[in-house]
Amino acid sequence: MSGADPRVRAVLRLAPVIPVFTPENVDDAVQVAQALFRGGLPVIEVTLRTAVAVDAIAAMAEAVPDAVVGAGTVLDGRQMEAVKKAGGRFAVSPGATDRLYAAARDADLPLLPGVATSSELMRGLEHGLDTFKFFPAVQAGGAAMLAAWNGPFGDVRFCPTGGISAQTALQFLHLPNVLCVGGSWLTTRELLQARDWGRIEQLAREAAALAG
């Protein structure tokens, strides 16, 4: 079994919040990447939930080369390869299978797999990983669940995502086993439709100031 990939934790340590962004068009995605980066959030998770997502990742990575742009909602090896080819620096999945773990190794792409149970976490450990997305965080037990996991899984670190807001982020960031949180409150549909890049930058600045 290969050792844990240090690249995953290195990415998660860059900022307390990873914005989770679903792009509707490439031009706006570039504006979002620039606003988030100006606000102090260099890591961006672009969900593969729209047809333009992979193109958006490529455009964001090119326009803001110092940002670390990755993909969320990665479900299979084909998507993993497309993300790598587009310049994505990491992949995030809502769950994980043996096949997905193998695909990440084949693509040599840092993977943050989603877990919601101890058994899923242990499967990830068997594959040599030590850092996971806790998803859906609030629905799966919230900060109390992560606090409980710190006992049996003391060396594991998490990025909880799902249902977290600017108001509740600190509940998670205060935990010793949490490196950062993922959140979609920075790029809501309303903000994107209004093309309010200034407000997105302001929210990013506030998120970047959160500390555990």
Side-chain angles (χ1 to χ4, degrees):
M1 191 59 58
S2 61
D5 189 339
R7 295 176 296 178
V8 177
R9 289 196 183 184
V11 168
L12 299 187
R13 286 193 172 108
L14 290 174
V17 177
I18 295 179
V20 179
F21 167 54
T22 301
E24 295 295 341
N25 69 73
V26 172
D27 290 341
D28 284 0
V30 169
Q31 295 283 349
V32 167
Q34 291 170 338
L36 291 169
F37 190 78
R38 284 195 307 267
L41 297 183
V43 183
I44 307 167
E45 176 187 334
V46 180
T47 71
L48 301 187
R49 298 180 187 178
T50 59
V52 302
V54 172
D55 289 338
I57 288 170
M60 294 163 75
E62 183 178 358
V64 193
D66 289 335
V68 181
V69 182
T73 325
V74 175
L75 304 178
D76 57 41
R78 181 184 55 80
Q79 291 178 326
M80 198 86 66
E81 291 291 349
V83 168
K84 179 76 178 269
K85 190 175 179 182
R89 303 266 293 275
F90 63 94
V92 185
S93 60
T97 63
D98 293 333
R99 186 177 293 180
L100 192 68
Y101 283 120
R105 287 193 293 271
D106 290 345
D108 189 29
L109 194 63
L111 174 65
L112 184 69
V115 299
T117 69
S118 297
S119 294
E120 292 167 351
L121 173 50
M122 290 169 68
R123 169 174 282 188
L125 291 172
E126 288 179 356
H127 279 276
L129 279 71
D130 64 0
T131 309
F132 300 90
K133 169 183 177 174
F134 178 48
F135 177 83
V138 171
Q139 296 85 345
M145 178 73 119
L146 287 175
W149 272 351
N150 197 43
F153 305 114
D155 293 333
V156 175
R157 294 295 177 267
F158 298 94
C159 173
T161 305
I164 299 173
S165 68
Q167 291 71 39
T168 61
L170 280 176
Q171 297 173 12
F172 293 90
L173 290 170
H174 283 318
L175 296 172
N177 54 349
V178 169
L179 295 176
C180 63
V181 302
S184 55
W185 77 85
L186 301 113
T187 57
T188 64
R189 181 165 288 167
E190 292 75 21
L191 287 171
L192 295 175
Q193 287 177 343
R195 307 181 87 240
D196 192 346
W197 317 132
R199 177 63 177 155
I200 290 175
E201 181 180 344
Q202 179 187 351
L203 289 171
R205 193 164 282 114
E206 293 169 2
L210 292 171

